[in-house]
Amino acid sequence: MNSLAGKVALVTGGSRGIGAAIARTLAAQGADVAITYGASREKAEAVAAEIRASGRRAEAIPADAADAAQVIAAVDTAVVRLGQLDILVNNAGNFLTGTIDQLTLDDYERTMSVNLRAVFAATMQAAKYLPDGGRIISLGSCLAPRAGRPGISLYAASKSALVGFTKGVARDLGQRGITVNLVHPGPTNTDMNPADGPRAASTLAALALPAYGQPEDIAATVLHLASDGGRYITGAVIDVDGGFNA
């Protein structure tokens, strides 16, 4: 059911953490995968090399998610190098915190450019290439519907905006059979949010399940949405958050 043989996927921010897990998971099911990266070429090339070693094609494409022109160019480059595009995963994001009296307009511009404008730009460009029945999956956050603590307002706003965007684009592209969905990860054990980090105890107390998620948990849901099994799911917001928002 989850076979992606013959498909090509682009995963933004795929050099580490959840993005890298998604890239590996899609490749394991037969997809050729392009990933974008911002700072770490070495990590991105390592993920691409791992995918190639499994027998799939892979490309690592530099693109600063804060620069919409680079995001658009990365979509074009993925198509040129891999010949087509069937699945777009908007994963790149940033996490800038601060209470409203601490934040600046520069903070706003940086957060919205990466977490919202980059998703718009990639989706807009990918829609030109996706075939009927293509897939668009974006990564939001469990903090969009419930901030949970002070200092999250700007980040939550950027991720909340993806809800309306996802539902609107699902309507825009539905007649082509293209599904558009949003996954809200909860606390996930990555180098940015380690399960043994300083906030781990308070985070665990907020969950229904007494454990952080793993990047592979998020990737499994993305895989389902990208595969034939997800063909009748669109405009949906799916929590993969250990019950953070239960």
Side-chain angles (χ1 to χ4, degrees), residues 106-243:
D106 285 343
D107 295 332
Y108 175 90
E109 294 295 340
R110 177 67 185 179
T111 295
M112 291 299 179
S113 66
V114 173
N115 291 352
L116 181 59
R117 188 177 65 189
V119 175
F120 175 88
T123 300
M124 174 190 70
Q125 194 68 4
K128 301 174 182 179
Y129 298 110
L130 290 171
D132 292 354
R135 301 284 194 267
I136 299 172
I137 303 145
S138 299
L139 277 292
S141 171
C142 67
L143 298 173
R146 184 168 79 88
R149 62 179 174 87
I152 304 297
S153 60
L154 179 55
Y155 178 76
S158 69
K159 293 298 189 177
S160 295
L162 294 179
V163 176
F165 181 70
T166 296
K167 292 180 179 294
V169 178
R171 290 287 186 178
D172 291 344
L173 301 180
Q175 291 302 308
R176 293 172 54 189
I178 296 173
T179 67
V180 187
N181 293 292
L182 180 64
V183 175
H184 276 171
T188 306
N189 185 27
T190 65
D191 59 351
M192 293 183 65
N193 185 24
D196 60 355
R199 290 187 177 273
S202 60
T203 298
L204 289 172
L207 303 179
L209 298 175
Y212 269 55
Q214 298 299 322
E216 292 75 19
D217 297 323
I218 313 305
T221 298
V222 172
L223 172 61
H224 180 71
L225 294 171
S227 70
D228 190 57
R231 67 186 180 278
Y232 202 58
I233 304 171
T234 197
V237 180
I238 301 174
D239 294 341
V240 188
D241 67 356

Side-chain angles (χ1 to χ4, degrees), residues 3 12 16 22 55 63 72 126 128 158 164 194 204-205 215 220 226 245:
S3 175
T12 67
R16 62 180 183 172
I22 291 169
I72 290 170
K128 301 174 182 179
S158 69
L204 289 172
N245 282 313

Side-chain angles (χ1 to χ4, degrees), residues 25-42:
T25 297
L26 298 181
Q29 290 297 321
D32 296 325
V33 181
I35 62 173
T36 69
Y37 65 93
S40 181
R41 177 179 179 180
E42 183 179 356

